[in-house]
Amino acid sequence: MAFFKRNNPKSGEADGPTGKEKATLVRLAVQANNVPGSNLPPQLPESSLNQGVMINWKRLGSVALFSFVCVAAVSFILLWQFGKNVVLEQPAGEIALDDVLAPKNLIYNSAAKTKELGDAAANNSANKVYKRDILLIANQREALNSLLNQIDKTRANPQDAGVLQSAAQDGKQITTLLNLPDSVWSTVNQETRNVFNFIMSRDILPEELNGSVEMLNKAVKAPYNISGSFALLDETNRAQVIELVKAYVRPNNVLDEAATAKKQSEARKSVGQVEVTLLKGATIVHRGDVLSPFQVEQLKELGLSNSNFSFNQVVGTVGVTAMLVLLLVLYCTLLAGSVWNSWRWPLFLAVSLIVTTIVMRLLLTNSPKDSTVPYLLPLATVAMVLAALYDVNLALFLSGLLAILAGMVSGSPELVAVFFAGSAAGALTLRRAEHTSFFAYAAIAVAGAQFVVGLCANLWLHGLLDLNIFFLLLSSLLNGLISASLAFFCFSVLGKLFGVATVLQLLELAHPNQPLLRRLIREAPGTYHHSVMVSNLAEQAAERLDDNALLARVGAYYHDIGKLARPTYFIDNQGGGANIHDTLDPRESARIIRAHVSDGVALARKHKLPRRVVDVIEQHHGTCTISFFYQKAIKMGLDVSEMDFRYPGPKPQTKIAALVMLADGCEAAVRANVQSGRILTGSAAAVPTAQHPTGPDAPKYITIRDVVNKIIDDRIRENQLSECDLTLRDIEEVRNLFVELLTGIYHPRISYPDKDPVPTNQKETEVVVNGSAREVQVAIVPAAPEPVHHAVTLGAADGGSTVPLSNQPNNHDAQPDTKKLNPGSPSGIGGAGKRISEG
């Protein structure tokens, strides 16, 4: 896992062997001790390789901080309201001072509406349970009977009339009743009791009292509604009866509190949760409305209120945000672990998430319903920049997360598909942004993808009538233009800020007027020529492998700039002059040769070259051995270690660095062998003549393919390619490509005769080359040619040594002792490499 590191018990630092290094140590130890690879040799016990695992707290802390900041910031932005309206500060019951529109679609369970409907259902009169009040009826009957009995007594004793009249509510009515004839009074008395019993025998609810009284009033004109005997009275006496009864009529049914509460509770439960649907752009509050609790609740649920967030809203927002950030962290950790190697890329991801969310809230939440304004959101910018500067796969993954976030903010599901399609199209277009024109192509790709997906999604969800195709097309085109423009700006700025080799930087660095290249041309012309040749090979190899060809070319241009520190110490810049290494200790010579890597890195950093170019400079020799001076030191009897003659590394970590390494070695070796005459190119000096010896000692010639195969095989054998992602298929393609290109560079030439040729014997000589015979016509030169020995000159552009061909040793930079070499010696240097003897 990316959160763990190896611990060195001696130093306490996390610098133990990695998995590849451990495997290499085991393999080397097994080879040295000639034991089966399944068993560890005694010199490398398991404890020395398995040094324990400890948690990388620094990286874990960085990931935790990144996660916390992203979740907190994005959640806060999603919950916070921008452009706050004055209505949002008003409580229920006040007059709304402005209109408020729903900024998004929302479906939620409304507590206010549920309470409102529940109260309405509970307060329904059908839910009220009443019971008959027998005691009240009896009391009222008794009071009426008492009045009637007093009237009877007063009629028998007229002197008590004044007392009765003063006690009665209507003294005039009492006087009338006292003056009625006995027969009439007797009927009135009896009918009064009958009418009271009649009306009180009915259930009279409090709200029905007026209706019962009104029915009594109508009975004066319609007496048969009461009884036939009541109808026998004249209208005046019926009115007297009704007036007497009305004074004692009361609601005879009272509310049963317990039963009513139970029934109301059941009514509330029957309502359940009320789901409210709010459509984007719908008016929530009209100016001048009295704010209701339901309207205040809608404002809060829409997130328009800056305070009093609902628990569900907070938990839901934080939960979704945390899950999206967690997925991003897991992806980066498992599939893009280099993100955590520095602070730059986590900062970029965090800022992208936060800024994008702010723009979403500002643009998506305030756009009117059925508007194409949301289609202007330049969400593809983030994916395009990330794809161009870092990795297209991470860009696609982040595109999906941002599209989901945009769908949440807008409340429009079709925007998820629209934004993901646009972002993915832009990222895929810029995955290899080798020219500025790629940004124009990306703009078209973003616009086209968003328009097509937006059109189809709107047709599916809303239909053709609700869709304005013209404005959708216009918004998509503007989005593509804005996204590509922002991506180009960020690409240029962030490329320099993050040390990423952008297209513009690489194109600028590839121009010959760059200070370092001008110095190479003036101070180290041989190195410059060699670098140009290497760049041609590396560039075409990168193209063949579908990698960054421009980076390969620029990396090859600068891979040997460290030789500017001591240009004459390298044979390609000596111009045939004296070799200073003839007077130096081989250890000192190796140190100088090895230093051109570190000098190059220092010079590149001083001139602020991109990090990936610096990596090529640092890795183009890997950990190869400077074999010439190592062998020279051994022959001199010096007590030396091979580690003192190795380049510091690291080994190539990328395809580009590996391609530059292979191109560097192959070009130098082929050129050296061509110059030494070991490879036939059609020139007179490279072809045997009659003066050349025949028989067993006759020279043997090699081909460009032999040299290329040996260089590449040596690099593989030395595990110099074990830490990059070159596959066997890639290596085979590079091998064939280098042979093809180098054969074209060192093509056969026609020998033109002199104007005054020296008389010689000309003849056709059959030369066997790589198993096939060919005839070449040459001019026999008077001077005796230098004998060509059984050797192949291999190596980089710094020197070489003599080693048997069958041994096929490592091929590295070196400097020959040219003063000790003579035309007849079995050791020598041919141009810029090392010659390896056949025997």
Side-chain angles (χ1 to χ4, degrees):
M1 288 292 290
F3 297 138
F4 294 90
K5 60 184 180 181
R6 313 298 298 183
N7 181 45
N8 190 332
K10 295 182 179 179
S11 63
E13 298 176 352
D15 57 359
T18 63
K20 290 182 178 178
E21 292 169 340
K22 177 178 176 179
T24 303
L25 289 172
V26 174
R27 180 186 53 76
L28 292 175
V30 170
Q31 293 175 353
N33 291 273
N34 195 24
V35 295
S38 59
N39 300 320
L40 289 175
Q43 292 83 347
L44 287 175
E46 179 63 26
S47 59
S48 67
L49 299 176
N50 186 11
Q51 299 179 356
V53 177
M54 65 179 295
I55 297 177
N56 189 335
W57 291 108
K58 182 178 180 180
R59 174 170 291 189
L60 186 59
S62 300
V63 173
L65 179 62
F66 169 82
S67 303
F68 174 78
V69 170
C70 290
V71 172
V74 173
S75 299
F76 178 79
I77 296 169
L78 293 177
L79 291 170
W80 192 259
Q81 169 60 25
F82 297 91
K84 182 177 161 183
N85 193 295
V86 67
V87 177
L88 307 181
E89 294 290 343
Q90 295 182 266
E94 290 191 4
I95 302 298
L97 301 178
D98 202 352
D99 294 334
V100 179
L101 304 181
K104 60 183 178 181
N105 296 328
L106 179 66
I107 300 176
Y108 75 99
N109 292 329
S110 171
K113 202 66 177 178
T114 299
K115 184 178 182 302
E116 178 184 337
L117 296 181
D119 290 343
N123 294 332
N124 192 324
S125 59
N127 294 325
K128 295 180 179 180
V129 179
Y130 295 90
K131 58 184 177 180
R132 193 170 183 82
D133 193 347
I134 304 301
L135 181 60
L136 180 141
I137 296 173
N139 290 339
Q140 293 300 105
R141 180 182 290 111
E142 183 178 353
L144 178 58
N145 290 339
S146 175
L147 175 62
L148 295 176
N149 290 337
Q150 288 182 2
I151 293 175
D152 279 336
K153 292 178 181 180
T154 302
R155 288 175 62 87
N157 299 298
Q159 64 274 15
D160 297 332
V163 178
L164 180 60
Q165 290 173 347
S166 61
Q169 295 179 357
D170 188 350
K172 184 178 181 181
Q173 181 185 17
I174 295 299
T175 301
T176 300
L177 294 175
L178 291 175
N179 294 328
L180 288 176
D182 291 340
S183 59
V184 176
W185 164 247
S186 177
T187 304
V188 169
N189 187 353
Q190 184 60 43
E191 286 304 319
T192 298
R193 299 175 191 272
N194 293 339
V195 171
F196 177 82
N197 291 333
F198 169 79
I199 196 64
M200 293 300 288
S201 64
R202 303 168 61 92
D203 291 331
I204 302 175
L205 303 180
E207 60 270 18
E208 296 175 354
L209 178 60
N210 293 334
S212 298
V213 172
E214 182 64 25
M215 187 183 72
L216 291 176
N217 291 332
K218 292 179 179 180
V220 175
K221 299 292 186 180
Y224 287 102
N225 290 337
I226 302 295
S227 67
S229 59
F230 178 71
L232 295 178
L233 292 173
D234 58 26
E235 184 175 343
T236 302
N237 290 327
R238 291 198 296 268
Q240 293 295 335
V241 170
I242 295 302
E243 290 300 322
L244 286 171
V245 172
K246 283 167 53 178
Y248 294 93
V249 173
R250 299 286 185 276
N252 56 14
N253 277 25
V254 295
L255 189 66
D256 188 339
E257 298 289 347
T260 299
K262 181 179 179 181
K263 201 166 185 180
Q264 287 178 338
S265 177
E266 293 174 352
R268 283 192 176 89
K269 291 180 180 179
S270 66
V271 173
Q273 290 289 334
V274 178
E275 186 177 81
V276 174
T277 301
L278 300 176
L279 298 179
K280 183 178 180 180
T283 302
I284 304 300
V285 176
H286 287 283
R287 184 175 182 178
D289 287 350
V290 177
L291 288 172
S292 66
F294 177 53
Q295 290 173 315
V296 173
E297 179 195 62
Q298 287 177 304
L299 296 177
K300 291 181 179 180
E301 290 293 335
L302 285 168
L304 300 178
S305 177
N306 289 341
S307 60
N308 300 324
F309 295 117
S310 67
F311 176 79
N312 293 340
Q313 187 178 8
V314 173
V315 172
T317 302
V318 174
V320 172
T321 304
M323 180 55 66
L324 295 180
V325 173
L326 176 62
L327 291 174
L328 179 60
V329 168
L330 289 176
Y331 181 92
C332 293
T333 302
L334 299 176
L335 300 177
S338 59
V339 168
W340 309 116
N341 291 343
S342 69
W343 57 269
R344 293 180 177 87
W345 290 113
L347 178 63
F348 173 80
L349 294 176
V351 171
S352 298
L353 279 174
I354 295 171
V355 173
T356 302
T357 307
I358 294 175
V359 177
M360 286 180 188
R361 290 299 314 276
L362 291 174
L363 190 60
L364 299 182
T365 58
N366 295 324
S367 59
K369 183 182 179 182
D370 299 330
S371 171
T372 56
V373 172
Y375 290 83
L376 293 175
L377 177 65
L379 197 63
T381 300
V382 177
M384 294 163 70
V385 173
L386 195 59
L389 291 180
Y390 187 76
D391 178 60
V392 67
N393 296 319
L394 179 58
L396 293 175
F397 187 82
L398 185 60
S399 300
L401 299 185
L402 292 178
I404 294 173
L405 200 60
M408 290 175 52
V409 173
S410 65
S412 302
E414 68 271 15
L415 291 183
V416 178
V418 169
F419 288 136
F420 177 73
S423 300
L428 292 172
T429 305
L430 289 181
R431 73 189 187 278
R432 291 181 57 197
E434 297 181 358
H435 305 285
T436 54
S437 60
F438 277 58
F439 287 89
Y441 303 149
I444 298 174
V446 172
Q450 289 202 174
F451 174 72
V452 172
V453 176
L455 177 64
C456 296
N458 279 277
L459 289 175
W460 174 31
L461 297 175
H462 307 297
L464 184 61
L465 296 178
D466 298 331
L467 179 62
N468 193 321
I469 298 179
F470 173 76
F471 284 106
L472 178 62
L473 176 60
L474 180 61
S475 299
S476 300
L477 291 175
L478 289 176
N479 188 302
L481 179 62
I482 295 172
S483 298
S485 301
L486 290 175
F488 182 75
F489 173 78
C490 296
F491 176 76
S492 303
V493 174
L494 295 179
K496 292 185 177 180
L497 182 63
F498 287 5
V500 178
T502 65
V503 175
L504 297 181
Q505 286 178 292
L506 294 176
L507 290 174
E508 183 179 351
L509 291 173
H511 200 282
N513 66 358
Q514 286 297 311
L516 287 176
L517 294 184
R518 290 180 64 84
R519 285 190 60 189
L520 273 180
I521 295 173
R522 293 194 306 266
E523 302 174 26
T527 298
Y528 175 76
H529 177 265
H530 163 68
S531 298
V532 172
M533 301 291 285
V534 173
S535 69
N536 292 333
L537 297 178
E539 180 185 39
Q540 296 197 46
E543 285 183 355
R544 181 70 60 88
L545 301 184
D546 197 28
D547 210 318
N548 194 334
L550 183 58
L551 176 61
R553 169 170 285 277
V554 174
Y557 277 159
Y558 291 87
H559 80 284
D560 270 346
I561 58 173
K563 294 181 181 179
L564 286 172
R566 305 173 186 87
T568 58
Y569 280 75
F570 300 90
I571 196 170
D572 45 357
N573 300 312
Q574 291 176 353
N579 190 346
I580 195 171
H581 290 283
D582 295 344
T583 61
L584 294 179
D585 184 281
R587 290 168 293 192
E588 179 64 15
S589 295
R591 186 192 65 79
I592 294 174
I593 297 298
R594 185 173 61 241
H596 88 277
V597 174
S598 56
D599 291 340
V601 171
L603 198 58
R605 288 173 177 168
K606 178 182 178 181
H607 287 261
K608 301 187 183 314
L609 297 187
R611 177 62 198 173
R612 295 185 69 181
V613 177
V614 177
D615 290 341
V616 172
I617 298 172
E618 189 176 31
Q619 300 166 16
H620 80 279
H621 277 301
T623 58
C624 294
T625 303
I626 307 174
S627 58
F628 175 80
F629 292 111
Y630 177 58
Q631 295 172 12
K632 181 178 179 181
I634 293 176
K635 290 180 180 179
M636 293 174 63
L638 300 178
D639 184 14
V640 294
S641 170
E642 186 181 4
M643 295 302 298
D644 297 332
F645 293 83
R646 281 190 179 275
Y647 284 99
K651 298 176 182 178
Q653 304 294 304
T654 63
K655 280 186 179 181
I656 297 299
L659 293 177
V660 173
M661 168 187 273
L662 297 179
D664 181 29
C666 291
E667 193 282 329
V670 170
R671 177 160 50 89
N673 281 277
V674 168
Q675 292 175 350
S676 68
R678 293 299 298 147
I679 295 179
L680 293 176
T681 63
S683 64
V687 180
T689 66
Q691 297 181 12
H692 282 80
T694 59
D697 296 331
K700 295 182 180 180
Y701 296 91
I702 60 173
T703 65
I704 290 178
R705 181 172 294 277
D706 295 333
V707 178
V708 170
N709 286 343
K710 178 158 182 58
I711 292 293
I712 295 178
D713 291 342
D714 283 349
R715 297 298 186 266
I716 296 174
R717 187 178 300 106
E718 297 166 355
N719 283 318
Q720 296 299 317
L721 307 179
S722 61
E723 297 181 11
C724 66
D725 52 354
L726 276 178
T727 65
L728 292 176
R729 182 191 298 272
D730 295 338
I731 294 174
E732 190 62 27
E733 289 192 26
V734 170
R735 188 192 304 268
N736 294 329
L737 177 65
F738 283 179
V739 171
E740 176 185 346
L741 295 177
L742 290 170
T743 301
I745 293 172
Y746 298 103
H747 54 273
R749 295 173 177 84
I750 298 175
S751 297
Y752 293 95
D754 295 334
K755 291 182 179 179
D756 298 319
V758 178
T760 59
N761 296 324
Q762 293 186 355
K763 70 174 181 177
E764 294 182 350
T765 304
E766 183 178 11
V767 181
V768 179
V769 179
N770 200 22
S772 61
R774 68 173 183 175
E775 292 184 352
V776 295
Q777 185 171 352
V778 299
I780 300 178
V781 190
E786 174 186 356
V788 181
H789 297 272
H790 302 175
V792 54
T793 304
L794 300 173
D798 304 327
S801 64
T802 303
V803 181
L805 179 63
S806 59
N807 293 341
Q808 293 185 339
N810 296 337
N811 166 33
H812 306 290
D813 287 348
Q815 275 288 5
D817 191 352
T818 55
K819 291 184 177 181
K820 296 182 179 180
L821 299 179
N822 56 68
S825 69
S827 174
I829 185 69
K834 63 181 180 180
R835 183 184 304 163
I836 300 177
S837 174
E838 290 181 343

